[in-house]
Amino acid sequence: MEYYIDGHNLIPKLQGIRLSDDHDEQDLLERIQEYARLTRKKCTVFFDKAPDNRTRDASYGTVHVVYVTHHTKADEEIISRVNKAGKNRAAEITVVSSDQHVQWQCHQAGAKTIESEKFASGMNQVFSGHSDSIKGNSKGTKTPQRIEPKLSQKEVDEWLEIFRERK
């Protein structure tokens, strides 16, 4: 399964990121990267209003990003790519957008859809299941950080005994 995410539609649904922030897109990409890593899902994020001189497609770790210039909109690009995928491939795509027109067009093409609010809530659940805290990054926004579990000395001793028995 792959997610096609309307980036500017998702940003306002997440805590700690606003469209008016200088690094809103980068902050979203960092969260999506962590989400993709934890869920092992493929994600493509679409941003519109990119300057003409911006590279159209880029990859950030496991996340693919499509920058759509001012000549078109991210909505149109998402719909176009879902249509080009064909019914079989589109069935493997879930479009993340609260725009009803985008949802309807993509559903007609065979893709699944989820509202940005619900996807943001799902992201929070994934993060809370893998982390007990949210840690601020260098830009002052909050991104999930994985916390390794701490074992008590008793638990360590029990595991050591189990491994000794296997020898």
Side-chain angles (χ1 to χ4, degrees):
M1 175 189 301
E2 180 175 2
Y3 287 103
Y4 279 12
I5 302 167
D6 183 342
H8 289 141
N9 190 264
L10 180 59
I11 288 171
K13 313 303 189 232
L14 296 169
Q15 291 180 341
I17 306 177
R18 294 182 310 211
L19 288 169
S20 60
D21 294 343
D22 289 338
H23 300 285
D24 60 333
E25 293 176 0
Q26 186 60 40
D27 292 342
L28 175 64
L29 292 176
E30 288 172 8
R31 289 193 191 188
I32 296 292
Q33 282 177 311
E34 182 68 2
Y35 174 80
R37 184 186 71 79
L38 293 171
T39 62
R40 300 190 190 280
K41 303 284 189 206
K42 186 175 178 184
C43 298
T44 301
V45 182
F46 295 79
F47 291 117
D48 48 18
K49 300 178 184 164
D52 286 332
N53 62 350
R54 178 90 190 230
T55 303
R56 183 163 164 71
D57 289 17
S59 290
Y60 296 89
T62 59
V63 176
H64 185 74
V65 184
V66 178
Y67 294 100
V68 182
T69 64
H70 69 276
H71 300 292
T72 188
K73 295 171 107 177
D75 296 352
E76 295 166 8
E77 185 68 20
I78 292 169
I79 293 167
S80 173
R81 289 192 184 208
V82 170
N83 283 323
K84 287 178 186 172
K87 285 278 187 190
N88 289 336
R89 171 77 177 93
E92 298 296 318
I93 298 169
T94 299
V95 174
V96 178
S97 176
S98 294
D99 184 304
Q100 290 186 355
H101 174 72
V102 173
Q103 290 178 355
W104 187 82
Q105 289 286 329
C106 293
H107 180 75
Q108 291 298 108
K112 298 171 200 71
T113 61
I114 183 171
E115 292 179 343
S116 295
E117 295 85 354
K118 288 183 182 178
F119 186 79
S121 176
M123 284 178 68
N124 288 333
Q125 288 176 348
V126 167
F127 294 149
S128 68
H130 286 83
S131 174
D132 292 333
S133 69
I134 301 291
K135 185 176 179 182
N137 66 16
S138 62
K139 297 176 194 86
T141 58
K142 294 181 178 181
T143 57
Q145 300 293 320
R146 184 178 178 144
I147 296 175
E148 295 297 326
K150 295 187 191 278
L151 298 176
S152 69
Q153 187 59 47
K154 180 182 175 189
E155 291 170 314
V156 171
D157 292 340
E158 288 172 356
W159 279 111
L160 288 172
E161 187 61 35
I162 290 170
F163 289 121
R164 278 188 209 113
E165 291 173 5
R166 289 188 179 175
K167 286 184 174 182

